Amino acid sequence: MVAQQAATIELSDKQRKILEKLDKGTHTPLHLKTRAHIILNAADGMNNKQIARHNNLNRNQVKKWRNRWDHLAEAVA
């Protein structure tokens, strides 16, 4: 079985600021904070396994949100 490479996440300054605001927000719903944190960790070079372990998540959750961000970025570009 060949391991598939996780999508590389690159953020603009504006995207990073928005995600950091969501991640640190005291009134941000938990599901949005988690998603923002996943993308920020991915942009900082962490792989899915590291992100999952660091955030006490399932690797499939990390893969799902990383892929969704990647597909969204492709659609906008």
Side-chain angles (χ1 to χ4, degrees), residues 12-74:
S12 68
D13 290 339
K14 185 176 183 178
Q15 289 172 322
R16 182 171 286 278
K17 285 180 185 178
I18 291 168
L19 290 170
E20 286 174 348
K21 187 175 181 178
L22 286 171
D23 185 38
K24 293 176 178 30
T26 56
H27 297 291
T28 304
L30 183 58
H31 68 282
L32 293 179
K33 289 175 74 92
T34 301
R35 294 170 191 173
H37 203 75
I38 289 169
I39 301 306
L40 288 167
N41 287 164
D44 290 340
M46 292 175 76
N47 64 37
N48 290 353
K49 187 176 182 179
Q50 292 169 324
I51 296 169
R53 190 177 310 131
H54 179 74
N55 297 291
N56 197 30
L57 299 170
N58 182 303
R59 273 191 354 201
N60 288 331
Q61 287 176 285
V62 175
K63 180 180 174 182
K64 174 180 162 180
W65 290 107
R66 185 179 198 136
N67 286 338
R68 284 188 179 181
W69 182 272
D70 185 52
H71 287 100
L72 178 64
E74 287 177 7

